[in-house]
Amino acid sequence: ISQIGDFPLHLKQNMKQMIIAIDGHSSTGKSTFAKAIARALDYTYLDSGALYRAVTLYALEEGLTDAQGKPDADRLVERLEDITLSFCRNPKTGNDETYLNGKNVEQRIRSLEVSRNVSPVSGIPGVRDFVDNELRKWAGKKGVVIDGRDIGTAVFPQAEVKIFMTAPAPVRARRRLEEMKAKGEEATFEEVLENVLRRDHLDSSREVHPLTKAPDAVLLDNGNMTVAQQMEWFKKLLEDKWDIRLK
Ligand code: DC
């Protein structure tokens, strides 16, 4: 198996600047895979979930939620014009981090509090329009990999490459539990599995742009795959679909 990022230079230079949409269930490793593709092709990576998380953080900090964290949709939508979002590369890690009104919020948007409250915020139509516009603005010059839930169905239905990622729920719960342990957060497997299933339900049953596989998306079940194997799969996809041959 070849290493990630070993696409030959002539291919990188000649490759059409595509939009690559990666949608799928939560905790399937979409962002890891999307980042690996972006690195390999020298594309820009855009994390749409980070934008929903940043809007959620704003709502929590500005008191636009009730005591249970439920957002006041009308007030939040009115205040969206006060929000400026951006990604900026951290030279130490090489990763793009999320900024909200000029402040780095990368850590805070991954907190449990934001994770718990992001679903209802992402269900507000005005918030979805706001995030979609940001993504379309940034993807203007193409050569982007974007991960999310509705990228290939609603935001960029014209994307050249659409991948829909999934894996069995217990596999995803185990992965999520490992991530949480690494961060020092405690939970049982049953709790995490329940959360994974609840998020699947919320994402797929939402009224606006629910999670669903675009008819022209290619399914990737990575339950038994390493990231390197997923990259091999991606290279084969390029070869089969676009006749782009890699060494
Ligand atoms: O991928 P994530 O866990 O960072 O996403 C955070 C939340 O945002 C999650 O509840 C799903 C939602 N989301 C969405 O509705 N549409 C997207 N394109 C991306 C994320």
Side-chain angles (χ1 to χ4, degrees):
I1 289 169
S2 41
Q3 293 299 302
I4 290 164
D6 68 351
F7 283 78
L9 194 61
H10 74 269
L11 175 80
K12 284 190 185 179
Q13 283 165 347
N14 295 338
M15 188 173 290
K16 196 175 150 214
Q17 296 289 289
M18 301 183 287
I19 293 182
I20 302 177
I22 306 204
D23 291 305
H25 291 110
S26 65
S27 301
T28 44
K30 293 187 294 295
S31 72
T32 304
F33 187 42
K35 279 183 205 160
I37 293 175
R39 256 199 313 275
L41 301 182
D42 211 4
Y43 274 24
T44 302
Y45 163 62
L46 297 177
D47 176 351
S48 64
L51 304 186
Y52 288 107
R53 288 172 179 271
V55 172
T56 304
L57 180 67
Y58 181 84
L60 289 165
E61 287 186 337
E62 294 291 313
L64 303 170
T65 55
D66 67 18
Q68 282 76 46
K70 188 173 174 291
D72 180 332
D74 291 342
R75 281 174 62 220
L76 177 56
V77 170
E78 254 172 43
R79 296 282 294 277
L80 290 174
E81 59 186 33
D82 298 336
I83 297 183
T84 305
L85 298 172
S86 56
F87 292 117
C88 189
R89 175 95 13 120
N90 177 338
K92 278 191 207 143
T93 60
N95 286 331
D96 289 339
E97 299 188 345
T98 315
Y99 283 69
L100 166 63
N101 291 338
K103 275 199 213 124
N104 186 325
V105 292
E106 187 59 34
Q107 297 255 317
R108 276 188 291 155
I109 60 168
R110 313 283 167 197
S111 68
L112 267 180
E113 196 189 9
V114 169
S115 300
R116 279 203 195 106
N117 293 299
V118 61
S119 253
V121 170
S122 69
I124 300 171
V127 171
R128 296 206 77 82
D129 288 344
F130 174 77
V131 168
D132 291 358
N133 280 337
E134 293 292 304
L135 293 169
R136 290 190 185 118
K137 212 161 58 189
W138 294 337
K141 62 178 175 48
K142 290 228 193 164
V144 286
V145 188
I146 310 170
D147 74 353
R149 305 293 190 284
D150 62 342
I151 306 303
T153 50
V155 191
F156 294 107
Q158 78 281 23
E160 284 86 356
V161 181
K162 297 183 189 179
I163 297 170
F164 188 91
M165 289 176 69
T166 192
V171 174
R172 292 187 277 133
R174 224 168 291 129
R175 286 178 186 160
R176 179 89 189 93
L177 192 60
E178 291 303 315
E179 269 173 26
M180 290 174 73
K181 274 192 194 151
K183 283 205 239 164
E185 293 167 11
E186 283 190 24
T188 64
F189 174 77
E190 286 70 27
E191 281 167 345
V192 178
L193 179 62
E194 193 191 303
N195 179 266
V196 161
L197 293 171
R198 195 174 64 89
R199 287 201 288 166
D200 284 356
H201 174 71
L202 287 172
D203 285 341
S204 312
S205 64
R206 178 174 61 218
E207 271 180 39
V208 215
H209 300 167
L211 171 67
T212 165
K213 181 183 164 301
D216 52 349
V218 189
L219 184 73
L220 171 61
D221 182 333
N222 68 0
N224 278 317
M225 290 168 90
T226 63
V227 178
Q229 287 168 331
Q230 291 172 63
M231 285 307 289
E232 282 302 309
W233 175 92
F234 178 70
K235 288 178 185 183
K236 187 157 183 322
L237 179 73
L238 287 185
E239 195 173 309
D240 293 348
K241 277 202 144 189
W242 289 276
D243 210 23
I244 296 172
R245 274 174 218 296
L246 308 171
K247 60 180 173 145

